[in-house]
Amino acid sequence: MAQQQQSTSATRKQANSEVTRTPNLAEQTGQQNAESINAFTELASDRLTPAQVLQLQGTVGNSAVQRLLAKRAARGQGDSAAIQRQFQPVTTTKNAHLRVDGAWDDFVGPRIDEGDEIVVDPLQQRTQVRRVRKNVTWTKAVGVTGAGWNWALHNGGNTYIRNTAVGQAKQYPHKASMDYKPPHRRSIDTPQYNWHHLTGEFVEIEDSVSTPGAKIAWHKGTYKRITPATGQVAALDADEERQINTETLEAYLLTRLEQAVRAGLGGVAWENLLVTTPNLKKIMYANNPEGSKALRFDDFGKSLTGARFVAYYKWVMAADGPFQRIQDGAAYVRNSLEHWRAYFNPPNGDNVTITSISVNGSDLHEHGLGVLFVKFNKPAGGPAEYTAAGEHEVVVKPEERSLEQGLFGTQADSLANYINTAVGLAGPDQITTYKQKVDAGFGTLCEKVVQTRAKDLPTNLVRPITQALKESLMFVLITGLTDLHGENVLWDAATGKPYMIDADNALKLQYMTPGQATAQNGYLAYNNQAGTVLNEVYNGAVGYETALLRALQNPTSFEQILLLDKVKDVFAASVGRTVPIETAVWGNRLKVFIMTPNVGQPADAPVQGVEPNTKWQWCNYWAATVPTGAGANAPGLQGEVGVRNGTNGNFLPGVEAAQLFADFKVGQIPFYNYEYGTGYVKHNGQTVWHGQPIGERMQGLFALFPNQIEL
């Protein structure tokens, strides 16, 4: 009986005993076993990748894979992967305790409550085989949250949790608090939690500006670079340190800007007059008073976030980007000012010093750093218009303003002086002139007109309709001058006489056609009735008569008969600017270009109804709008310069797209030169359009004034 009880007891104990097994190849049966063996056989001669090891673990278990890797290592077959882990945070579905492998009755640590977050590895499981009750599956687990996970500390643990207590894996990425924003970064997109078993939980801030595939992330109390795909963690490099600190980035860009300007100037004696904080800021900031928008830091560097900020950073830092353009522009300024210094006291500018340089902040175009106000101190002598000793303040323009010189120069044969003489305008009634000198390769030296810009005139004042105002409106009619806004018309407040500066945009048919022409802002700011005045002047109404209209309609001298022919000759010998699309629109397009992360290829064609997604695709899209201004509420080249008789404009969209890309890459606003003699429109020296030459362009005026003779 005792023997029987002992046997029964032993049997019960054996029945209740727990056998721990790790799933392995021997436990697989049937088709599954065969497939696993085939997988081993197929891979036996190959180098195993991490993905392949994971696949084997999921089918034949860790023990079998460990044995395989050990055998392969003994044979000298080194693999690129070891046993793989897939630790991940989960939420428990019920109360549970951790257990140690093989001691399943013993609790490890405090109870884990339902809903707690722990970290488990579903690829590492143990099966507790029981003879009477159902087997139990245990999953590798660590009693820490995702944020508390540390691979080095927790990977080697030997604790498990019932698999039935393992709930949903925590989903990544998901929204994190804005508290993780770097304190010195102006703005960011909403941060996101993410996870990798080698790093634990981390907070993604933004793509790294320097390492593809990596993120700036908050991890274990500091900002790091983390590659989510591999879990690699590294300290931030210098670019990334600037990425998280707007103030540091700003200071760095100012320093780089100064270095670029100094490199271009090459150590000339007057270098420090150009390299001043106010001048540098006008180049760097779009919204600095009269800023040139060259780096657009306040528009972009301070406000953009996410992929758009990264795109801006890469654009501004590019080796062939805006800093190189600025350096080249500074070199142009050096050559230009040294040329004009010699001009003031030929042949080499001895005893001529530059005493002041101020950047105007105009947009960057083809050359230089925009318009400069420069003071030269010179001895007596030199050019006829600047013989006096002492200081002369002038405007130095990077473009060769041959048209402006031909229209308003002080030389006897300028159009303004020809008209003043031919129709008898004198004193305050004259078409105004100012000193100008154009030299190829060095831009234009222009007298600084010391008068009040129209936009700065006091408002709510009634100003007289002067004869000079009326005559200047007639001058606009026969030249088609446009761009006469509040900064380009200056007024002599004492006499009511206008000065038209930056007069390089002309021959616009709207302003050459009575009934279509409207008063431009530079006139409306002087007198809000300028629109009515314009119509009365063009109609020759009583009280609005002009000497120029009388001479055009009823010439009384040989010079008056040739007034329009003189206009044609001046334009035929000149090159001016045409604006098919307004500068403000180009500024917005430049912003889109900068913010678009993908460069693409020149052949990237836009797709109807689909927003472009590469820089080249955008440039091809915008190029297509230049002929007609479609989508930009603009006249386009066709509306600005017309189409040469018998042609369709011969527009070259591929050439135009390439020039847009070249401009935007360095921060330039597109600039179009109109060769009036040939009708060609050139962009960065490349012909993109065949517009009307001056002879065709003026046929409407000769029809309007039939008593004028065209030679």
Side-chain angles (χ1 to χ4, degrees):
M1 184 68 172
Q3 186 177 2
Q4 183 180 359
Q5 287 178 342
Q6 183 179 1
S7 176
T8 303
S9 175
T11 302
R12 186 181 300 113
K13 184 175 181 180
Q14 185 178 7
N16 290 332
S17 66
E18 300 172 348
V19 180
T20 302
R21 294 185 182 177
T22 300
N24 55 43
L25 182 60
E27 293 169 357
Q28 308 295 323
T29 60
Q31 183 179 358
Q32 185 179 11
N33 191 6
E35 290 174 352
S36 300
I37 294 172
N38 289 338
F40 271 97
T41 302
E42 182 180 345
L43 295 171
S45 61
D46 296 333
R47 183 178 177 85
L48 300 184
T49 66
Q52 290 168 333
V53 173
L54 276 173
Q55 181 182 3
L56 287 174
Q57 284 179 254
T59 57
V60 300
N62 291 338
S63 297
V65 176
Q66 285 173 330
R67 290 196 298 272
L68 173 67
L69 294 179
K71 290 178 181 179
R72 289 167 63 81
R75 294 196 303 265
Q77 289 178 288
D79 290 308
S80 61
I83 289 293
Q84 298 301 296
R85 306 293 188 240
Q86 194 167 308
F87 286 102
Q88 55 191 279
V90 300
T91 302
T92 56
T93 60
K94 60 184 178 181
N95 298 342
H97 278 89
L98 296 179
R99 319 291 178 96
V100 173
D101 186 2
W104 304 117
D105 289 335
D106 299 328
F107 296 163
V108 177
R111 187 182 72 184
I112 297 171
D113 293 331
E114 179 183 352
D116 283 353
E117 181 179 313
I118 62 172
V119 177
V120 305
D121 182 0
L123 293 182
Q124 297 193 68
Q125 294 182 338
R126 298 288 186 269
T127 300
Q128 177 189 356
V129 179
R130 304 196 293 191
R131 298 186 185 279
V132 177
R133 289 180 291 174
K134 291 180 61 175
N135 293 347
V136 178
T137 300
W138 298 86
T139 299
K140 187 75 172 283
V142 182
V144 296
T145 64
W149 170 262
N150 184 307
W151 170 262
L153 293 177
H154 301 130
N155 170 60
N158 194 33
T159 53
Y160 292 78
I161 193 171
R162 287 181 184 271
N163 191 56
T164 55
V166 176
Q168 287 286 342
K170 194 172 182 179
Q171 297 301 303
Y172 294 99
H174 64 273
K175 181 179 178 181
S177 167
M178 288 299 290
D179 291 341
Y180 290 106
K181 182 182 79 67
H184 297 289
R185 175 67 183 272
R186 179 66 63 89
S187 56
I188 62 170
D189 289 340
T190 302
Q192 294 195 93
Y193 290 107
N194 208 340
W195 166 269
H196 193 281
H197 67 272
L198 294 179
T199 62
E201 190 172 81
F202 56 94
V203 180
E204 293 181 355
I205 305 300
E206 195 167 66
D207 288 344
S208 165
V209 297
S210 60
T211 305
K215 301 280 186 180
I216 304 297
W218 177 257
H219 182 244
K220 307 297 184 186
T222 188
Y223 292 101
K224 297 284 188 180
R225 180 202 313 135
I226 295 180
T227 304
T230 64
Q232 183 179 2
V233 181
L236 301 183
D237 62 22
D239 287 296
E240 292 162 332
E241 290 286 359
R242 290 188 284 268
Q243 182 176 359
I244 66 171
N245 192 320
T246 304
E247 296 168 4
T248 300
L249 175 59
E250 183 173 17
Y252 174 81
L253 292 180
L254 274 171
T255 300
R256 279 283 306 273
L257 178 59
E258 178 177 345
Q259 292 169 347
V261 174
R262 289 191 185 279
L265 294 179
V268 288
W270 42 266
E271 180 176 296
N272 288 335
L273 297 176
L274 178 59
V275 184
T276 66
T277 298
N279 283 341
L280 292 176
K281 286 186 174 181
K282 284 186 177 181
I283 297 173
M284 177 154 164
Y285 300 104
N287 297 315
N288 186 72
E290 300 179 337
S292 72
K293 311 175 186 65
L295 296 185
R296 297 174 178 257
F297 178 74
D298 44 350
D299 269 0
F300 299 157
K302 286 185 176 181
S303 61
L304 292 181
T305 60
R308 291 181 170 186
F309 173 84
V310 174
Y312 168 74
Y313 190 94
K314 291 180 178 180
W315 171 81
V316 80
M317 295 293 189
D320 57 351
F323 283 118
Q324 184 60 55
R325 165 63 182 82
I326 289 166
Q327 181 174 328
D328 294 343
Y332 183 94
V333 169
R334 176 197 64 213
N335 296 337
S336 175
L337 295 193
E338 283 298 289
H339 171 81
W340 296 120
R341 196 170 67 82
Y343 164 78
F344 277 112
N345 191 28
N348 53 21
D350 286 348
N351 300 318
V352 177
T353 58
I354 296 174
T355 60
S356 174
I357 304 173
S358 177
V359 173
N360 172 262
S362 52
D363 289 315
L364 298 188
H365 293 302
E366 294 175 301
H367 308 295
L369 297 175
V371 174
L372 304 176
F373 295 103
V374 185
K375 292 180 181 179
F376 292 88
N377 194 292
K378 62 177 292 294
E385 293 184 319
Y386 297 98
T387 57
E391 192 169 75
H392 297 263
E393 183 171 14
V394 296
V395 181
V396 178
K397 302 178 180 181
E399 300 87 15
E400 295 160 18
R401 301 292 187 92
S402 59
L403 176 63
E404 192 172 356
Q405 182 184 36
L407 294 178
F408 296 110
T410 54
Q411 70 275 15
D413 64 346
S414 72
L415 181 60
N417 274 335
Y418 183 92
I419 289 174
N420 288 336
T421 300
V423 306
L425 294 176
D429 297 342
Q430 289 183 323
I431 306 297
T432 52
T433 62
Y434 43 95
K435 294 179 282 188
Q436 297 175 77
K437 179 73 168 69
V438 177
D439 279 341
F442 303 104
T444 303
L445 183 79
C446 182
E447 172 189 1
K448 183 179 180 181
V449 178
V450 185
Q451 302 296 345
T452 304
R453 295 188 300 185
K455 75 171 194 174
D456 297 330
L457 290 169
T459 58
N460 301 322
L461 292 180
V462 178
R463 298 184 179 89
I465 305 301
T466 63
Q467 193 62 33
L469 184 156
K470 292 183 286 187
E471 299 289 351
S472 72
L473 288 174
M474 279 302 305
F475 190 92
V476 171
L477 177 71
I478 62 174
T479 57
L481 278 172
T482 183
D483 210 25
L484 297 177
H485 51 70
E487 294 183 359
N488 285 350
V489 181
L490 310 183
W491 290 90
D492 182 337
T495 64
K497 182 166 59 175
Y499 290 79
M500 290 169 273
I501 65 170
D502 280 350
D504 62 342
N505 191 358
L507 290 187
K508 186 165 184 176
L509 292 181
Q510 174 188 349
Y511 297 115
M512 300 166 69
T513 309
Q516 295 182 20
T518 57
Q520 299 180 59
N521 288 338
Y523 287 91
L524 290 169
Y526 173 83
N527 189 300
N528 60 14
Q529 297 301 309
T532 300
V533 174
L534 178 147
N535 290 323
E536 297 288 12
V537 166
Y538 291 172
N539 290 329
V542 175
Y544 294 90
E545 299 90 349
T546 62
L548 180 50
L549 180 59
R550 283 196 300 270
L552 288 166
Q553 291 177 330
N554 299 295
T556 59
S557 68
F558 182 72
E559 289 75 18
Q560 290 184 2
I561 290 175
L562 296 178
L563 281 172
L564 288 187
D565 195 68
K566 174 64 176 177
V567 173
K568 188 179 76 171
D569 287 348
V570 168
F571 276 95
S574 303
V575 175
R577 180 187 183 190
T578 187
V579 184
I581 294 174
E582 291 184 359
T583 297
V585 175
W586 285 127
N588 289 332
R589 290 177 171 183
L590 172 57
K591 184 173 183 178
V592 172
F593 178 92
I594 292 171
M595 294 189 305
T596 300
N598 298 323
V599 176
Q601 300 295 328
D604 288 351
V607 178
Q608 182 71 29
V610 179
E611 182 174 285
N613 60 12
T614 72
K615 294 181 188 293
W616 272 108
Q617 198 172 39
W618 274 117
C619 288
N620 283 307
Y621 173 77
W622 292 324
T625 70
V626 171
T628 64
N633 193 28
L637 288 171
Q638 187 169 321
E640 283 287 300
V641 303
V643 177
R644 180 183 294 182
N645 186 35
T647 73
N648 61 1
N650 294 322
F651 181 61
L652 301 174
V655 174
E656 172 62 8
Q659 298 316 308
L660 291 177
F661 189 94
D663 285 338
F664 291 159
K665 183 176 71 172
V666 299
Q668 290 183 177
I669 296 297
F671 192 93
Y672 298 85
N673 286 301
Y674 182 12
E675 295 181 350
Y676 301 110
T678 64
Y680 293 154
V681 176
K682 294 186 176 182
H683 184 178
N684 295 334
Q686 301 294 311
T687 300
V688 296
W689 184 259
H690 292 181
Q692 289 182 313
I694 185 63
E696 290 183 29
R697 200 68 173 162
M698 290 192 62
Q699 289 309 301
L701 285 175
F702 279 106
L704 184 63
F705 302 112
N707 289 330
Q708 292 291 303
I709 293 178
E710 181 179 10
L711 297 179

